[in-house]
Amino acid sequence: AQKVTQAQTEISVVEKEDVTLDCVYETRDTTYYLFWYKQPPSGELVFLIRRNSFDEQNEISGRYSWNFQKSTSSFNFTITASQVVDSAVYFCALSEADTNAGKSTFGDGTTLTVKP
Amino acid sequence: GAVVSQHPSWVICKSGTSVKIECRSLDFQATTMFWYRQFPKQSLMLMATSNEGSKATYEQGVEKDKFLINHASLTLSTLTVTSAHPEDSSFYICSARTGSRETQYFGPGTRLLVL
């Protein structure tokens, strides 16, 4: 069965600090997709990134970067020079391509608080 | 592109009444839609998967007769919470996916409060 673990329940940083949110996953499929979503207080999930299992290239998008390492089954998310607007709950999710009808399993989320 | 809407965004109802929540894919055809429930400070829990024109597949522990799901077209799925009780109060989120199994597009969610 697929599983996603976000060990950090809450993280608090001061503005301009860098912060890394950890995500570890378990799956038996060789083809799968990993996602990060941001959920601000309004509740709407904001899609941040999708990565498929065959693409281990790290990605950078502005202040956001992602480190995908299949060897450790991790897909960590780093925010550089954090801002107050980054405060939200961040979810990592896994979707298996072959089994489970492509359903997504979400981690428990990490609440990030960025203080001014 | 890939916008999913939900209606209503907020609903307050009395215990015992039924509430219908709509999920629409506005600019694409969704062969599959998912319904999630999220309690405060918790993760999203998948309730059911619905494919257009067929019966929904419910996750273990989700009552089919209580949470009726209809996916009548490629752009609309509805979730009806029947005989709602206070413990059904939650944030309900739908997502839609095309034939590709890569990405789900999420709606903005519906907050249900049952008094």
Side-chain angles (χ1 to χ4, degrees):
Chain A
Q2 56 189 28
K3 183 180 178 182
V4 177
T5 302
Q6 293 179 256
Q8 304 149 307
T9 305
E10 296 183 5
I11 299 177
S12 181
V13 299
V14 177
E15 207 170 19
K16 297 185 183 178
E17 286 185 11
D18 298 348
V19 58
T20 296
L21 283 59
D22 298 334
C23 174
V24 175
Y25 62 92
E26 295 176 28
T27 177
R28 294 183 198 172
D29 276 20
T30 54
T31 303
Y32 53 89
Y33 304 96
L34 295 163
F35 305 84
W36 275 96
Y37 296 92
K38 174 182 180 180
Q39 188 177 43
S42 65
E44 183 166 0
L45 280 175
V46 177
F47 167 81
L48 297 178
I49 191 172
R50 181 192 74 229
R51 175 63 80 231
N52 75 54
S53 52
F54 297 111
D55 182 2
E56 284 195 73
Q57 267 196 326
N58 292 327
E59 181 156 338
I60 298 175
S61 176
R63 295 184 297 108
Y64 295 168
S65 63
W66 291 269
N67 185 342
F68 176 28
Q69 298 212 347
K70 287 180 76 171
S71 60
T72 55
S73 297
S74 66
F75 186 44
N76 297 336
F77 172 33
T78 298
I79 301 175
T80 304
S82 59
Q83 299 176 1
V84 173
V85 293
D86 295 329
S87 297
V89 181
Y90 291 86
F91 290 99
C92 179
L94 166 70
S95 175
E96 292 171 333
D98 300 320
T99 58
N100 284 322
K103 296 184 291 188
S104 286
T105 296
F106 284 78
D108 288 338
T110 297
T111 300
L112 174 64
T113 302
V114 181
K115 300 178 181 177
Chain B
V3 178
V4 176
S5 70
Q6 277 185 246
H7 178 79
S9 55
W10 270 98
V11 58
I12 301 174
C13 68
K14 292 182 179 179
S15 187
T17 59
S18 293
V19 175
K20 179 186 282 189
I21 302 170
E22 292 186 350
C23 176
R24 292 181 185 273
S25 56
L26 299 184
D27 51 2
F28 67 100
Q29 293 187 326
T31 52
T32 304
M33 287 185 170
F34 301 90
W35 286 95
Y36 296 84
R37 180 168 56 183
Q38 185 182 30
F39 292 108
K41 298 189 183 300
Q42 293 188 23
S43 187
L44 281 72
M45 297 301 297
L46 181 65
M47 299 174 66
T49 303
S50 75
N51 292 298
E52 185 263 339
S54 61
K55 289 185 178 180
T57 302
Y58 290 80
E59 295 299 301
Q60 195 170 10
V62 177
E63 300 174 56
K64 301 178 185 180
D65 295 332
K66 181 162 188 62
F67 298 101
L68 301 179
I69 292 172
N70 184 280
H71 192 163
S73 76
L74 286 172
T75 59
L76 174 64
S77 176
T78 60
L79 167 67
T80 301
V81 183
T82 62
S83 187
H85 291 285
E87 57 265 31
D88 298 324
S89 299
S90 187
F91 188 48
Y92 291 87
I93 307 173
C94 75
S95 70
R97 189 184 69 194
T98 64
S100 164
R101 293 192 163 189
E102 293 184 359
T103 302
Q104 296 178 34
Y105 301 96
F106 285 85
T110 297
R111 296 193 186 277
L112 170 63
L113 177 60
V114 184
L115 302 176

